[in-house]
Amino acid sequence: MVSPGILLVDKPAGLTSHDVVARTRRAFGTRKVGHAGTLDPMATGLLVIGIEGATRLLTYVVGADKTYHATIRLGQTTGTDDADGDITAQAAPEAWSAVTPEAVAAGIAALTGDISQVPSAVSAIKVDGQRAYDRVRAGEEVVLAARDVVVSRFDIVAERVGEGTRDLDVIVDCSSGTYIRALARDLGAALGVGGHLTALRRTRVGPFSVSDSVGIDALEGAPTLTAAEAAGRILQPLPVTDDESRDLRHGKRLAGQAARIHGSLAAAIDTDGVLVGIVEKRGADLKSAMNMPQVAS
């Protein structure tokens, strides 16, 4: 029997997130596998995979903030805002005179903090039930609505000058839902030379780091975090007694216990170190927001 757990995978370029899920299903011998947060085929890095009952935890991972290492190429615009698309515009030589260090710093500053961002038209966002990228491939013109995101860090760590281009290696800390391709596009547009993404690597999702992940060829027998270990990283761990565990599993509230947790949610962990579920505040009480399926002993 497959134990529920969270698997951290370092996705290579060229595979979709669904490809990684499919390989995980084969490696673990179960169909019940899901992931938290899609990575484009071009992108590499951390993919958080849920196995068996731990897939219920993924909803609490999806909204976590993330860290990316990326390369932005200034001087060229593409149809997809990344290197997978055809080049649609090349900056004129005279346009580069305005791309001073001060202008680049100002452009990055304008894209840092609380910002409103229009996602790339070839994103996985659904429009009337269909992925935006599918509509674009079908020849439709897709303009997505702007969304509010938070970019808490946008730092340049290296620069390289090419023939008619300039590459910026950057590190970005951001909220869930932020599109790094859109940052590249918008920085290039603000500088008047265009821009797109040529490399993207996700190194962190909430409390999980790519340094703790396994490669795609090491899935067989790969170590996983137990549901309790993973939930205790994502949320405040809340030890509960046997009686409290039973009450939560039966849908009963823990009366007058809301003060035991700091935020609105916590991970209830029983005396055996097993995750009972996620609890939430309801007035002065705690109640189950999600219960884990009990594994027969």
Side-chain angles (χ1 to χ4, degrees):
M1 185 175 181
V2 180
S3 298
I6 294 293
L7 175 69
L8 306 179
V9 178
D10 188 349
K11 187 190 88 66
L15 293 184
T16 67
S17 299
H18 183 73
D19 290 335
V20 177
V21 167
R23 293 197 185 193
T24 304
R25 285 171 174 159
R26 290 194 294 272
F28 282 80
T30 178
R31 293 289 302 168
K32 198 165 186 181
V33 176
H35 69 80
T38 300
L39 280 175
D40 292 335
M42 183 191 88
T44 69
L46 184 59
L47 198 61
V48 180
I49 303 286
I51 299 169
E52 290 292 335
T55 55
R56 297 188 181 192
L57 292 176
L58 297 180
T59 186
Y60 302 99
V61 180
V62 169
D65 57 346
K66 299 169 176 67
T67 298
Y68 294 92
H69 291 229
T71 300
I72 296 171
R73 175 158 294 170
L74 298 175
Q76 293 174 339
T77 303
T78 73
T80 58
D81 301 328
D82 62 22
D84 285 342
D86 295 330
I87 296 174
T88 57
Q90 177 81 44
E94 58 270 19
W96 288 102
S97 61
V99 186
T100 62
E102 294 76 16
V104 173
I108 286 178
L111 294 170
T112 305
D114 297 334
I115 65 171
S116 182
Q117 180 187 74
V118 177
S120 170
V122 292
S123 70
I125 294 173
K126 286 189 175 181
V127 180
D128 296 331
Q130 190 175 5
R131 300 288 185 188
Y133 56 67
D134 287 332
R135 290 182 173 273
V136 171
R137 289 168 186 160
E140 294 184 38
E141 182 177 347
V142 176
V143 179
L144 298 173
R147 55 174 58 189
D148 294 333
V149 297
V150 180
V151 177
S152 52
R153 179 187 183 189
F154 191 170
D155 291 343
I156 298 175
V157 294
E159 294 187 46
R160 292 175 301 283
V161 176
E163 188 174 342
T165 62
R166 184 183 301 175
D167 285 356
L168 308 179
D169 293 335
V170 300
I171 299 176
V172 177
D173 292 336
C174 56
S175 63
S176 177
T178 304
Y179 282 85
I180 311 303
R181 282 180 295 167
L183 291 179
R185 175 201 66 202
D186 293 345
L187 178 61
L191 294 170
V193 292
H196 69 281
L197 206 63
T198 62
L200 181 66
R201 180 167 176 78
R202 186 160 67 195
T203 59
R204 182 184 63 87
V205 176
F208 306 116
S209 171
V210 73
S211 62
D212 297 321
S213 64
V214 298
I216 196 68
D217 295 323
L219 298 180
E220 199 80 42
T224 61
L225 297 169
T226 67
E229 289 172 332
R233 292 190 191 183
I234 301 164
L235 301 169
Q236 174 193 343
L238 175 71
V240 291
T241 66
D242 292 341
D243 287 342
E244 289 172 334
S245 299
R246 183 176 57 253
D247 286 346
L248 289 171
R249 288 192 171 107
H250 291 165
K252 295 182 180 180
R253 297 189 181 200
L254 303 185
Q257 299 299 305
R260 290 170 62 184
I261 67 174
H262 309 308
S264 58
L265 298 170
I269 300 172
D270 71 15
T271 53
D272 293 323
V274 174
L275 179 66
V276 177
I278 306 302
V279 297
E280 63 183 358
K281 288 181 178 179
R282 284 294 176 90
D285 303 338
L286 291 176
K287 72 176 294 291
S288 290
M290 181 277 288
N291 274 344
M292 289 290 290
Q294 286 186 267
V295 179
S297 57

